[in-house]
Amino acid sequence: QVQLRESGGGSVQAGGSLRLSCAASASAYTYSYYCMAWFRQVPGKEREGVASIRTRGGITYYADSVKGRFTVSQDNAKNTLYLQMNSLKPEDTAMYYCAAEVRYDCYLTSWSNRASYNYWGQGTQVTVSS
């Protein structure tokens, strides 16, 4: 069964950087059609998509609010998904979640739709102060 665990969150000042990691069970990467993503959520707001990667082809997607600042990548040898966050802003403050989907046709779904993913980590908090 797929297991995901996020790490790397913390408190930083505006303009700083953080790198989030999502460690997945080895079995997760035996499925070449995996779709994975980073979401974030603040109180009173829906969980929103931040960035996504299709593990088979490495195609990436980003929310407009993070384009040019965040980079999603993967290291299959380490069974890990990353989110490099640069030039952080106070509005980036949120709980960040790692999500994954094993369906072979996951590439046909909307990358930023929470319903597109069936597996979720527990989240890691990111706080950006001004």
Side-chain angles (χ1 to χ4, degrees), residues 4-77:
L4 306 172
R5 182 175 63 83
E6 305 94 337
S7 63
S11 299
V12 299
Q13 293 184 339
S17 299
L18 284 174
R19 187 179 73 168
L20 305 184
S21 298
C22 174
S25 60
S27 61
Y29 284 92
T30 65
Y31 299 93
S32 62
Y33 45 80
Y34 255 97
C35 294
M36 301 188 74
W38 288 97
F39 282 71
R40 65 187 182 187
Q41 187 171 29
V42 297
K45 190 176 181 180
E46 292 185 0
R47 194 170 296 184
E48 65 172 345
V50 177
S52 179
I53 188 167
R54 290 170 175 165
T55 60
R56 174 178 285 180
I59 300 171
T60 58
Y61 302 89
Y62 297 93
D64 289 340
S65 60
V66 306
K67 287 181 179 178
R69 300 189 298 120
F70 291 10
T71 302
V72 63
S73 61
Q74 63 182 349
D75 186 339
N76 289 340

Side-chain angles (χ1 to χ4, degrees), residues 15-16 19 26 36 74 80 88 99 118 124:
R19 187 179 73 168
M36 301 188 74
Q74 63 182 349
T80 303
L88 284 163
N118 288 319
T124 184

Side-chain angles (χ1 to χ4, degrees), residues 21 32 46 49 68 81 92 96 102 106:
S21 298
S32 62
E46 292 185 0
L81 182 75
D92 294 319
Y96 284 72
V102 301
C106 62

Side-chain angles (χ1 to χ4, degrees), residues 12-15 88-91 93 127-130:
V12 299
Q13 293 184 339
L88 284 163
K89 304 175 180 180
E91 51 262 45
T93 295
T127 301
V128 184
S129 60
S130 60

Side-chain angles (χ1 to χ4, degrees), residues 87-105:
S87 301
L88 284 163
K89 304 175 180 180
E91 51 262 45
D92 294 319
T93 295
M95 182 72 76
Y96 284 72
Y97 298 89
C98 177
E101 174 58 63
V102 301
R103 286 181 58 85
Y104 65 89
D105 59 349

